[in-house]
């Protein structure tokens, strides 16, 4: 069994993936804003990193066309890595927001503009059909996603997309989308420090409907795209010490313990951190440890 398979598998529609995947957001820099002030990531090193992930059993990558820095594109690097890899890897991308070639954000797009975004992902990834496309909504304040999701459903019917998902949504958005086309995954910000998807019932709703729930910022939490810092949560430190594990592994393990439908997509450019992230799938937390981590005040008393 590969390292990434130790946490089990889940299906995105008819595509079975290991629950430990890889998020490409940091592949070209620190977060979606790129690394304009830093040295561009070495392409060969980035490809080697992805190959290492594949060798350890990662077969689910999360990406987007807007993950780029001045000289590097995550999709281009993924394309290069997959062109020299012979195994099956499911690539999940997202549309909705966009960035122009200079990096400026365009958050509002019309439904008819989504085809261009899908085609851009196809070109960059070198594919004729995208495995999964998530519609990233404008956030909880978005009243309806029907027109935009309907546009993606038409692209699915046209053969450009295999499966559809959602990102940054509420339960009512999932219900609305399900009346238009099947939803195979929901990607929201979620982790020990940010549990809005528990408060809204979204995590449990996805489990009940057989939809994969895919948290982002599961490790960084409230730091979001900031660089990793020293673990400040005494609960996480205590559990990590008990298992001779890293705090990051504990945070990932806690997330995976939320249900068999919950996937993990931690991202990194560090090969050692990549191996640690994947190894989190074997970490089994006790009921007492889960109760400790679930304390709302963060105490260990």
């Amino acid at each position: 069994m590969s390292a990434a398979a130790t946490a089990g598998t889940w299906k995105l529609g008819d595509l079975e993936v290991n629950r430990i995947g890889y998020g490409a957001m940091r592949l070209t820099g620190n977060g979606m804003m790129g690394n304009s002030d830093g040295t561009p990531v070495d392409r060969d090193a980035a490809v080697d990193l992805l190959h290492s992930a594949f060798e350890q059993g990662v077969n689910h990558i999360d990406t987007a066309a807007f993950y780029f820095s001045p000289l590097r594109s995550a999709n281009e690097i993924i394309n290069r890595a997959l062109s020299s890899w012979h195994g099956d890897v499911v690539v999940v991308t997202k549309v909705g927001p966009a960035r122009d070639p200079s990096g400026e954000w365009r958050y509002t797009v019309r439904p008819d503009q989504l085809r261009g975004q899908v085609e851009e992902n196809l070109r960059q990834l070198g594919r004729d059909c995208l495995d999964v496309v998530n519609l990233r909504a404008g956030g909880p304040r978005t009243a309806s996603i029907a027109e935009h999701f309907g546009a993606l459903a038409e692209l699915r019917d046209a053969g450009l997309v295999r499966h559809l998902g959602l990102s940054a949504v509420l339960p009512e958005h999932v219900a609305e989308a399900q009346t238009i086309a099947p939803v195979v995954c929901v990607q929201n910000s979620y982790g020990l420090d940010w549990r809005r998807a528990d408060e809204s019932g979204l995590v449990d709703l996805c489990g009940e409907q057989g939809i994969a729930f895919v948290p982002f910022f599961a490790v960084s939490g409230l730091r979001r795209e900031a660089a990793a810092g020293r673990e400040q949560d005494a609960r996480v430190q205590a559990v990590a010490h008990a298992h001779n594990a890293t705090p990051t592994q504990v945070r990932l393990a806690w997330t995976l313990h939320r249900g068999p439908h919950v996937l993990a997509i931690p991202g990194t450019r560090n090969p050692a951190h990549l191996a640690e992230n994947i190894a989190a799938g074997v970490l089994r937390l006790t009921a007492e440890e889960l109760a400790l981590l679930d304390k709302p005040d963060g105490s260990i008393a």
Side-chain angles (χ1 to χ4, degrees), residues 24-25 27-28 50 63-64 67-68 72-79 125:
M25 185 180 70
L27 196 58
T28 66
L50 289 177
T63 187
Y67 290 171
F68 67 85
R72 299 291 185 266
S73 156
N75 278 357
E76 178 264 326
I77 293 171
I78 293 169
N79 183 349
L125 291 166

Side-chain angles (χ1 to χ4, degrees), residues 285-297:
L285 304 180
T286 67
E288 292 76 14
E289 289 167 338
L290 289 170
L292 172 64
L293 293 171
D294 282 333
K295 282 181 176 289
D297 60 358

Side-chain angles (χ1 to χ4, degrees), residues 2-299:
S2 68
T6 56
T9 63
W10 191 261
K11 282 191 173 182
L12 302 175
D14 62 342
L15 303 172
E16 187 169 13
V17 298
N18 291 325
R19 291 177 65 209
I20 296 280
Y22 178 84
M25 185 180 70
R26 298 186 185 278
L27 196 58
T28 66
N30 182 27
M32 289 187 295
M33 306 312 291
N35 59 347
S36 303
D37 299 324
T39 304
V41 61
D42 181 84
R43 280 193 174 92
D44 290 337
V47 169
D48 288 344
L49 180 79
L50 289 177
H51 282 171
S52 176
F54 302 156
E55 289 164 0
Q56 295 176 71
V58 170
N59 58 3
H60 166 213
I61 296 183
D62 174 78
T63 187
F66 50 75
Y67 290 171
F68 67 85
S69 58
L71 297 177
R72 299 291 185 266
S73 156
N75 278 357
E76 178 264 326
I77 293 171
I78 293 169
N79 183 349
R80 183 175 294 198
L82 290 175
S83 68
S84 52
W85 180 258
H86 301 294
D88 293 328
V89 178
V90 174
V91 179
V92 179
T93 189
K94 60 188 72 66
V95 296
R99 293 167 70 195
D100 65 24
S102 67
E104 293 297 318
W105 282 97
R106 296 174 179 172
Y107 290 103
T108 303
V109 298
R110 301 188 309 271
D112 62 289
Q113 293 176 309
L114 294 177
R115 184 183 183 104
Q117 292 190 7
V118 166
E119 291 174 343
E120 180 65 16
N121 277 279
L122 288 167
R123 284 190 293 270
Q124 293 177 0
L125 291 166
R127 296 196 163 192
D128 297 320
C129 177
L130 297 175
D131 294 327
V132 183
V133 172
N134 288 334
L135 172 65
R136 184 168 174 82
R141 296 180 181 177
T142 302
S144 172
I145 60 170
E147 288 189 43
H148 288 78
F149 197 75
L152 288 183
E154 292 177 1
L155 297 180
R156 190 195 68 152
D157 294 342
L160 298 183
V161 179
R162 191 166 183 172
H163 298 296
L164 300 177
L166 298 169
S167 179
V169 293
L170 292 172
E172 49 264 39
H173 297 131
V174 177
E176 183 179 40
Q178 289 274 60
T179 66
I180 299 170
V183 175
V184 302
C185 58
V186 171
Q187 186 184 96
N188 271 41
S189 178
Y190 179 75
L192 262 177
D193 304 323
W194 187 258
R195 306 189 200 180
R196 294 287 179 85
D198 279 335
E199 297 168 7
S200 69
L202 184 59
V203 178
D204 291 336
L205 172 69
C206 287
E208 293 164 2
Q209 298 192 14
I211 299 170
F213 183 77
V214 189
F216 57 87
F217 299 143
V219 174
S220 59
L222 297 177
R223 297 194 309 273
R224 298 177 67 81
E225 294 181 17
R230 184 177 181 275
E231 180 60 60
Q232 300 295 319
D233 194 314
R235 303 167 302 171
V236 176
Q237 291 175 336
V239 175
H241 179 74
H243 287 271
N244 193 27
T246 68
T248 292
Q249 289 175 320
V250 171
R251 286 180 174 271
L252 288 172
W254 177 87
T255 302
L256 292 169
H257 275 71
R258 279 294 286 113
H261 66 296
V262 179
L263 311 184
I265 51 169
T268 182
R269 290 167 53 187
N270 184 308
H273 291 165
L274 172 68
E276 289 177 359
N277 292 343
I278 295 172
V282 78
L283 186 58
R284 300 293 182 261
L285 304 180
T286 67
E288 292 76 14
E289 289 167 338
L290 289 170
L292 172 64
L293 293 171
D294 282 333
K295 282 181 176 289
D297 60 358
S299 68

